[in-house]
Amino acid sequence: MRTVDEIYFIPGRPFSCMRDAYLVGAGQSAYGAFPEESYRSLFRTAFDAAVDSVPDEFDADEIDEAFIGTLGVGGRQLGLSGPAVTEHVGLDGVPCTRVENACAASGFAVRQAVQAVKSGMADVALAGGFEVMTDTSSDATKYWLGVSGETEWERLSGTTFSGVYAQMASAHMNEYGTTREQLSRVAVKNHANGAKNPHAQLGFECTLADAQSAPVVADPLNLYHCCPTSDGAACALIVGEDVVDDYTDDPIRVAGVGAGSDSVGLFQRDTYTGVPASRRAAETAYEMADIDPADLDFAEVHDCFAIAELLAYEDLGFCEPGDAGDLIESGATELGGDLPVNTSGGLKSKGHPIGATGAGQVVEAFKQLSGKAGDRQVETPTRGLTHNVGGSGGAAVVHVFEKQQEVSAR
């Protein structure tokens, strides 16, 4: 009988008995405001796109497990929302688990699918997510966003998520000298990438002047420093090493997975200038993949606010604490730079349908590693990372994907 250490990866412990998991397909709906769509129809669009993206023939009847992320904005189908969408796409009888971890819901759904495949519980697993956010009033939307903060001491006292991230931005500016211009450069970069993405909600470019002169939302954050609310869905297909050859001869391995959690309320943490859950998740994913941050060719990070992307640079080891502002100014994270970040446009431009965001990041990783990212394609990438955060850092999950053939050839 295998021990727990052999079945589940624990940093610093053996990892010899789990089989490899592979990403063989991924797809999404457009992100935006779609009053004519339902959460079921959006999910169908994403599911069909994921199936169609598999290089060789894929039969949905081969799916053994499904994991679906959603917060449930607006209160629609809070119970059994996972089976509600999987049944709609014909997966009757397939075991389905709804995953809720705020904005990291479908990132954790991907992790659950990877675990199911690695453990041998499933040969083929579906991970996805959805959210409809634009059919409620602004006050109602603020409420549903706020439920992912600390309820008693943040949301019920009137604190919004923009207010929480504004506190983080202020702390970083005070401690490290980060500037409003550096925050605005995040928006400029991500809008430039999103303008090349046909699925992006805010698919237009903006100038630095635009991003600096927008109305203040929560000082020091302005409108261009904040992501939109979105409708959308995304799906990923994860398979085991025993069956991967049935679906592709160009496999993308899930090389590393890491997750972390923390106090839900920002005020409960020891630092406002970092997200410890992200750091823990990244450390585990890097160790599992046996790589360093320098080995990455691109990354999709959780930029719900401009400061969140700068914090991610530091938490994920792209630079030292306090150097994120210099990194964005250097151009290193632009398309064509040393480490392109948020080639999809990120949450800022592509959009942020809460339950779909993490799986949507995996869609971009799949496209980049498959060479199908169009005008935003990174040149010959081998490894990419996705980073999905729940709330202001109460949960975080990191995945490292690598193009298996190119890694083996080195």
Side-chain angles (χ1 to χ4, degrees), residues 285-328:
Y286 291 146
E287 183 176 349
M288 185 175 177
D290 193 24
I291 66 165
D292 294 318
D295 296 315
L296 297 170
D297 298 306
F298 66 89
E300 287 287 301
V301 308
H302 197 91
D303 62 319
C304 49
F305 299 90
I307 185 60
E309 178 163 327
L310 297 185
L311 296 181
Y313 292 174
E314 299 172 9
D315 293 331
L316 300 174
F318 301 166
C319 65
E320 293 297 318
D323 289 346
D326 292 338
L327 186 62
I328 186 69

Side-chain angles (χ1 to χ4, degrees), residues 273-287:
T273 58
V275 179
S278 293
R279 295 175 189 172
R280 287 191 287 270
E283 288 168 0
T284 303
Y286 291 146
E287 183 176 349

Side-chain angles (χ1 to χ4, degrees), residues 145-161 164 262-269 390-394:
L145 290 170
V147 299
S148 298
E150 209 288 331
T151 300
E152 291 179 295
W153 298 104
E154 286 183 345
R155 180 173 65 80
L156 294 183
S157 64
T159 302
T160 64
F161 264 122
V164 169
D262 205 340
S263 301
V264 174
L266 177 63
F267 70 94
Q268 297 171 300
R269 298 185 212 142
S392 62

Side-chain angles (χ1 to χ4, degrees), residues 188-257:
V188 172
K189 172 183 68 70
N190 291 350
H191 272 279
N193 294 342
K196 299 178 176 67
N197 186 349
H199 289 114
Q201 179 174 0
L202 304 180
F204 56 83
E205 296 187 14
C206 72
T207 66
L208 186 58
D210 292 334
Q212 288 184 288
S213 61
V216 172
V217 174
D219 190 52
L221 302 179
N222 68 35
L223 187 63
Y224 268 94
H225 301 152
C226 308
C227 71
T229 54
S230 315
D231 306 335
C235 290
L237 294 164
I238 308 294
V239 308
E241 62 183 31
D242 302 332
V243 299
V244 65
D245 290 342
D246 296 340
Y247 304 110
T248 182
D249 58 4
D250 192 16
I252 297 171
R253 188 168 74 98
V254 185
V257 184

Side-chain angles (χ1 to χ4, degrees), residues 18-84:
M18 292 177 69
R19 61 181 183 171
D20 276 333
Y22 293 85
L23 174 66
V24 297
Q28 66 168 89
S29 70
Y31 288 177
F34 306 110
E36 73 284 2
E37 300 280 1
S38 70
Y39 69 97
R40 285 185 170 103
S41 66
L42 289 167
F43 188 83
R44 175 177 287 282
T45 298
F47 177 76
D48 289 347
V51 170
D52 289 345
S53 73
V54 179
D56 296 332
E57 186 175 347
F58 183 90
D59 189 338
D61 290 340
E62 296 165 5
I63 295 173
D64 300 311
E65 290 265 356
F67 301 90
I68 307 300
T70 184
L71 176 64
V73 171
R76 64 178 55 77
Q77 195 59 50
L78 284 178
L80 297 177
S81 54

